[in-house]
Amino acid sequence: MNSAIVRNLLVRGMLAGLGAGVLALVAAYFLGEPSVDKAIGFEEAHAPAHEHEVELVSRSLQSTAGLATGVLIYGVAFGGIAALVYCFALGRVGRFTPRATALLLSGCALLAVYVVPFLKYPANPPAVGDPDTIGKRTTLYFLMMVLSVLLAIAATILGKRLAPRFGNWWATVAAVLAFALAIGVAYAFLPVVNEVPADFPATVLWRFRLSALAMQATLWAGFGLVFGELAERLLNPGPAAAASASTAAASG
């Protein structure tokens, strides 16, 4: 794959990430923000009077412009990174079309980068978690994420090596089972973190975590669909576009 195609895919990946970020922003605002407001209300109601602090940034600004800025920047950044990974994976993970490869990559990335770490260390709303352990919790989460990504890569390599001997179906089954077993071992050995206050509303916690998962699913699904279409048009242009390009090359 030449540098011009990589550059074009990178730009398309960032644009697709921006579009997916808009979709994720809608999900975060309508699904996540109500739970955040309730969690903040719980925190304020249980804090001593002398611990109330003046907000440097208003809650309304945080839930609108602040949320939009964070989500959209994240979408553009992860879109660019995902596009570079796509350039490496295209043609190496199987004989899939550019569109199918983008969807497959997005689904696997959602699973390895977010879902697997989320199941071990789920997202928490405000008022949940000890401020003194935030460094430890962050380290554990990123360790789980790195392990998940590395194990997913190892499972992919295992599946490709087993395919010539056992066929694609059984090689895939073996790779998935090996990945699940390794993740289970990681879950068992990594420490458990449970700092939810005893009187914190279970419904608020559940809805917040569900909204966080929905936001990420929206982001990755949106990216896979948009980027897949853009990559398909670039790498597999229609007959008319291909003929036009051939004519232009011949005349030049």
Side-chain angles (χ1 to χ4, degrees):
M1 186 177 293
N2 60 53
S3 59
I5 294 179
V6 172
R7 183 173 61 252
N8 286 332
L9 286 173
L10 176 61
V11 172
R12 284 163 171 77
M14 296 174 71
L15 291 175
L18 179 61
V22 173
L23 297 176
L25 175 61
V26 174
Y29 184 78
F30 287 104
L31 298 178
E33 285 303 309
S35 298
V36 173
D37 288 335
K38 291 178 181 179
I40 292 175
F42 173 89
E43 185 177 36
E44 293 177 345
H46 288 73
H50 65 276
E51 290 189 4
H52 289 286
E53 299 178 355
V54 178
E55 289 183 334
L56 298 178
V57 180
S58 67
R59 173 62 188 145
S60 60
L61 185 61
Q62 293 175 16
S63 62
T64 53
L67 178 65
T69 301
V71 172
L72 295 181
I73 290 177
Y74 174 76
V76 172
F78 106 86
I81 295 172
L84 294 178
V85 175
Y86 175 87
C87 292
F88 177 80
L90 187 64
R92 291 184 170 90
V93 295
R95 297 180 179 179
F96 300 104
T97 65
R99 185 186 290 114
T101 302
L103 290 173
L104 178 64
L105 179 65
S106 296
C108 292
L110 172 64
L111 176 67
V113 175
Y114 188 78
V115 174
V116 169
F118 174 87
L119 292 177
K120 177 64 177 178
Y121 301 114
N124 287 325
V128 174
D130 184 355
D132 295 333
T133 64
I134 187 171
K136 175 185 176 182
R137 288 184 281 119
T138 302
T139 300
L140 288 173
Y141 180 86
F142 278 102
L143 175 61
M144 188 68 247
M145 183 174 67
V146 171
L147 281 174
S148 177
V149 172
L150 292 178
L151 289 173
I153 294 173
T156 302
I157 295 173
L158 176 64
K160 289 182 67 65
R161 291 187 176 182
L162 293 177
R165 182 175 180 181
F166 298 102
N168 290 333
W169 171 256
W170 289 112
T172 302
V173 170
V176 170
L177 290 177
F179 175 76
L181 178 61
I183 290 297
V185 172
Y187 278 6
F189 280 92
L190 287 175
V192 176
V193 176
N194 183 13
E195 298 178 350
V196 181
D199 56 345
F200 191 86
T203 302
V204 175
L205 181 63
W206 167 251
R207 288 179 177 173
F208 177 84
R209 290 177 173 175
L210 194 61
S211 66
L213 183 59
M215 174 186 167
Q216 290 291 329
T218 301
L219 185 71
W220 285 99
F223 173 80
L225 291 171
V226 175
F227 181 68
E229 184 63 29
L230 295 176
E232 186 77 26
R233 293 186 180 186
L234 174 67
L235 301 175
N236 284 337
S244 176
S246 300
T247 303
S251 61

